[in-house]
Amino acid sequence: MEQELKALLATALSEITAVSSEPSLEDFRLRYLGKKGLLTALSSKMREVPADQRSSVGALLNEARDGISSAIDQKKSALQAALDALQAAGLDITLPGRPLPTGGLHPMTQVLDRAVSILRRMGFALATGPEVETEWHCFDALNTPADHPARNESDTFYFSNGLLLRTHTSSVQVRTMQQQAPPVRIIAPGSAFRRDEIDATHLSAFNQLEGLYVAPNVSLADLKGTLSHFFRALFGPNTEIRFRPHFFPFTEPSYEVDVKLTPKGQAPRWVELLGCGMVDPAVFEAICNSRNDEVYHPDRVTGFAFGMGLERLAMLQWGIPDIRHLIENDVRFLSQFSA
Ligand code: PHE
């Protein structure tokens, strides 16, 4: 019995050195100290030990039990210490992996890309112009009289040298026609600036997309067809649009175009989305004077133009309630638009 106890303690102590995890430590504990464990089995043999040896065998039994128990305790803290060290080194192997944030396109970029690709498929080429403009390109050439309210200091940002921040992208119509002979079929996306009070639907710097098509015999039917197709491609094949008579100095006749949209869970409603019309002959005359030729003479060409606010388009597409979300760069907002 004494021999057996000594041998059991020795094997147990050498076995435990190979234990390297909490679950296998528990297996080890059960194998020796559990109800059906090896030491428990030995101790039930105490009854067979002659009376005069009982106290020394009993002492050895306790020694073996204590030895194994304290080896288990030591192992337990060694395992815990190893885990703590990993965690302190910033490595917790039990945590799930961290996903890497991948970023995505800003909703304005997404709307712009879609609008441009639809219009390019219809043959519109991209054009650009400066954001700092002359009064002539922004207003005079566009048949806007000197006393028009849009030209007011309270509506337009003027520089002290007489230049201004363009109030619309329509100035690109003028610059394009100055530079190239008809036919022209261009779109000009870009920033526009107005001295508007900033609120849920207004920014003082915003984005527009201008369109211009000038050639012999361009008609209002062409304008309607182009815009119907554009909005069906953007909002779905059953999208309805309507033309409401309006006024712009540089188009005649002029319209505002409404699109019938059904916001989620709401009744359909008409939403104003752009201004448009047939290029006013007075604009062609201003272009002819500036070019010093007659290629844009109103007897030779006609044209249509349209201009829309891109923020509004983005807000409608996604049901964004406040235009300011689009410029605040809050990732909690923006991450909702990354694929
Ligand atoms: N420039 C006009 C605006 O900013 C929109 C427009 C563009 C209207 C082209 C007619 C033709 O409101």
Side-chain angles (χ1 to χ4, degrees):
M1 180 88 178
E2 281 184 30
Q3 288 311 316
E4 278 178 83
L5 275 170
K6 280 182 182 157
L8 188 72
L9 179 60
T11 7
L13 292 182
S14 85
E15 228 173 75
I16 199 170
T17 56
V19 171
S20 61
S21 71
E22 293 259 1
S24 55
L25 183 63
E26 178 62 8
D27 288 345
F28 175 88
R29 192 186 65 80
L30 288 172
R31 193 159 65 254
Y32 285 93
L33 305 181
K35 260 191 203 140
K36 293 181 182 148
L38 297 168
L39 194 72
T40 322
L42 266 185
S43 64
S44 64
K45 284 197 198 158
M46 270 297 274
R47 263 173 281 128
E48 298 155 26
V49 175
D52 60 334
Q53 289 173 28
R54 271 204 196 146
S55 74
S56 64
V57 173
L60 208 58
L61 191 67
N62 285 339
E63 209 177 284
R65 185 179 288 116
D66 291 350
I68 294 174
S69 297
S70 71
I72 289 175
D73 289 346
Q74 272 172 30
K75 192 64 169 189
K76 208 176 228 157
S77 28
L79 288 176
Q80 188 57 50
L83 214 65
D84 289 349
L86 278 182
Q87 272 181 21
L91 187 68
D92 179 350
I93 54 169
T94 66
L95 282 176
R98 279 183 217 133
L100 288 176
T102 50
L105 293 177
H106 191 283
M108 286 300 293
T109 310
Q110 295 185 36
V111 163
L112 176 64
D113 286 353
R114 277 198 67 202
V116 167
S117 84
I118 295 166
L119 289 159
R120 285 188 64 139
R121 281 200 296 271
M122 285 193 270
F124 288 86
L126 276 172
T128 55
E131 293 173 0
V132 176
E133 261 302 3
T134 67
E135 275 198 74
W136 187 80
H137 286 91
C138 198
F139 296 125
D140 298 291
L142 289 166
N143 194 34
T144 310
D147 61 355
H148 191 278
R151 301 183 68 150
N152 215 297
E153 289 255 3
S154 64
D155 287 306
T156 303
F157 293 103
Y158 286 95
F159 295 97
S160 49
N161 61 4
L163 295 179
L164 50 80
L165 289 177
R166 66 182 181 195
T167 56
H168 52 189
T169 45
S170 299
S171 52
V172 185
Q173 293 183 33
V174 177
R175 290 195 173 267
T176 306
M177 289 190 279
Q178 282 184 300
Q179 280 157 24
Q180 69 185 74
V184 286
R185 186 153 46 185
I186 55 109
I187 45 174
S191 303
F193 308 85
R194 289 179 199 172
R195 298 184 71 156
D196 274 333
E197 205 68 56
I198 295 176
D199 62 23
T201 52
H202 296 87
L203 294 175
S204 51
F206 56 102
N207 291 275
Q208 287 191 325
L209 187 137
E210 192 80 14
L212 174 70
Y213 178 29
V214 178
N217 301 318
V218 174
S219 73
L220 185 56
D222 296 318
L223 172 60
K224 284 194 160 182
T226 302
L227 292 179
S228 309
H229 176 80
F230 175 75
F231 285 114
R232 284 190 199 129
L234 199 65
F235 291 119
N238 299 320
T239 306
E240 287 176 60
I241 64 173
R242 74 178 179 195
F243 281 61
R244 246 184 319 103
H246 197 71
F247 174 81
F248 296 103
F250 36 93
T251 46
E252 180 59 32
S254 303
Y255 303 91
E256 279 188 334
V257 174
D258 300 335
V259 180
K260 196 179 192 177
L261 293 173
T262 314
K264 261 192 203 106
Q266 288 176 40
R269 61 187 170 107
W270 290 103
V271 185
E272 181 216 316
L273 265 184
L274 59 74
C276 66
M278 302 306 293
V279 178
D280 194 301
V283 174
F284 287 138
E285 273 156 26
I287 298 294
C288 287
N289 286 336
S290 125
R291 290 177 57 99
N292 221 352
D293 66 18
E294 298 292 302
V295 290
Y296 280 99
H297 194 282
D299 288 345
R300 291 161 76 164
V301 290
T302 51
F304 68 67
F306 59 85
M308 66 185 105
L310 286 175
E311 278 82 2
R312 204 181 166 81
L313 219 55
M315 290 169 77
L316 284 169
Q317 174 139 0
W318 285 293
I320 299 167
D322 191 317
I323 196 171
R324 289 166 290 196
H325 287 316
L326 292 169
I327 57 164
E328 279 165 356
N329 284 337
D330 185 332
V331 284
R332 291 170 302 179
F333 169 75
L334 293 177
S335 61
Q336 298 174 58
F337 303 91
S338 56

